[in-house]
Amino acid sequence: MAVYTPQRTKVPGVAIAIIGAAVALAVNAVLPVLSALTVAVLIGVLIGGKLPDNTDTGLQWVTRKFLRTGVVLLGLQLSVQDVTRLGWGTVVAVVLTVLVSFGGTLALARLVGVPKGLGLLVATGFSICGASAIAAMDSVAKTDKQDVAAGVTLVTLYGSAAIALVPLIGAGMDSEFLGKWAGLSVHEVAQVVAAASPAGATAVAAAVIVKLTRVVLLAPMVAGVGLVQRKQGGRPPVMPLFVAGFLAMIALRSTGMVPGFLLDGVKITTTVLFAAAMVALGSAVRIAELVRTGRRGILLGAMSTLLVGTVSLIALRITA
């Protein structure tokens, strides 16, 4: 008689997440305007509540492990040299945008009456780097699955809207300036690329570097919240191991010793990991719960998106 170990109980959920990720990547290949992560979340939401109980363990494991591994590998997409090439004016604009957007979104969350956990995750995701930032912050903050799922849903909704709005509003801007603004104001890396693409290759290159520079601020932001939580009686790590790994990968990339073919492979792997994690995360969403608190969350997402877009544009104008 077969003995089922805890490791084997993960298999059904992991399989569902990987199959969902494959479907999301296939849809993205056919319709590049749709981010693979956006599609993956939607797949998760659609299948959530319809899966057998034996998938729960694996899906929870994928949410935790795949997201964290993806964050670590994300560090290989940026080097210190990339940041310094932006010029210190742009770096200052990045720091100002993240700090003002994070603090401003927290204040807006209190004003709107959104739960504290959701407000923190929206502030992190919208000001830094979407779903990966939400996952990192969740590791040190007092949040629940519904907060995380709702935060990712809002990032998906408003980041997708920005793909159309940024080129429209930025019509007539210098291509490099528009790219920097896209990198500063749009939530997910894939959404940033889509938003900057109509302005050409120069805009896309500037957008990606600026966006990844925002991602660097994830580490001090998570560490800061971790310290606050510890002072309030919680015992989360000051800096989660995977965030330290993210910084280590940036340092490794900065040495110039990582070959190009490996970087290309890691980029694909990172996307697959994030897509699978988004399927797993989306499967935890319960539409009824989301609808119950949805209006306030949707309002907060709109206000935060407007805040990030406005602050980033002003910061770029001042520091240009």
Side-chain angles (χ1 to χ4, degrees):
M1 182 177 177
V3 176
Y4 287 89
T5 64
Q7 188 67 27
R8 288 193 65 181
T9 63
K10 298 185 181 75
V11 173
V14 173
I16 289 292
I18 291 175
I19 292 169
V23 173
L25 291 167
V27 171
N28 172 251
V30 176
L31 298 171
V33 70
L34 294 177
S35 162
L37 302 190
T38 299
V39 176
V41 171
L42 292 175
I43 290 172
V45 171
L46 289 173
I47 65 176
K50 301 180 179 68
L51 298 172
D53 292 341
N54 68 341
T55 61
D56 290 348
T57 301
L59 288 169
Q60 291 171 16
W61 185 82
V62 167
T63 300
R64 185 173 64 255
K65 296 295 186 180
F66 279 32
L67 268 175
R68 294 180 180 188
T69 304
V71 170
V72 172
L73 295 179
L74 192 60
L76 279 175
Q77 296 185 31
L78 184 70
S79 69
V80 173
Q81 294 87 339
D82 290 332
V83 176
T84 56
R85 276 196 293 269
L86 285 175
W88 290 110
T90 302
V91 174
V92 169
V94 170
V95 175
L96 284 174
T97 298
V98 170
L99 291 178
V100 174
S101 299
F102 182 80
T105 301
L106 288 178
L108 289 170
R110 288 193 292 271
L111 179 67
V112 173
V114 165
K116 189 174 180 180
L118 177 58
L120 175 61
L121 295 181
V122 170
T124 307
F126 279 47
S127 65
I128 302 179
C129 58
S132 53
I134 288 172
M137 188 60 76
D138 178 55
S139 67
V140 299
K142 297 176 181 177
T143 56
D144 58 37
K145 285 184 180 180
Q146 289 296 333
D147 290 335
V148 177
V152 172
T153 301
L154 291 172
V155 160
T156 300
L157 175 64
Y158 286 102
S160 299
I163 292 173
L165 290 175
V166 166
L168 183 64
I169 297 171
M173 288 182 183
D174 172 77
S175 60
E176 184 175 351
F177 186 91
L178 186 142
K180 289 181 177 181
W181 184 46
L184 268 179
S185 60
V186 184
H187 310 321
E188 292 279 355
V189 175
Q191 294 165 348
V192 165
V193 172
S197 292
T202 299
V204 171
V208 170
I209 295 173
V210 169
K211 177 60 180 177
L212 292 176
T213 304
R214 277 171 75 191
V215 176
V216 174
L217 297 179
L218 175 63
M221 190 70 75
V222 170
V225 172
L227 282 170
V228 171
Q229 294 287 338
R230 290 173 73 89
K231 287 181 180 179
Q232 293 176 350
R235 300 301 300 171
V238 174
M239 181 180 290
L241 186 60
F242 72 96
V243 176
F246 165 76
L247 293 176
M249 290 300 102
I250 293 177
L252 177 60
R253 172 69 186 274
S254 300
T255 65
M257 297 172 61
V258 184
F261 74 88
L262 183 59
L263 292 175
D264 292 339
V266 167
K267 189 172 183 180
I268 295 169
T269 302
T270 303
T271 302
V272 172
L273 288 170
F274 279 145
M278 291 301 103
V279 172
L281 198 54
S283 70
V285 175
R286 297 296 176 263
I287 300 298
E289 285 290 325
L290 210 54
V291 169
R292 194 172 300 136
T293 58
R295 284 183 294 180
R296 291 180 180 181
I298 290 171
L299 177 59
L300 175 62
M303 295 169 73
S304 182
T305 298
L306 181 61
L307 175 66
V308 175
T310 303
V311 169
S312 58
L313 188 57
I314 293 172
L316 278 175
R317 294 290 187 192
I318 292 173
T319 59

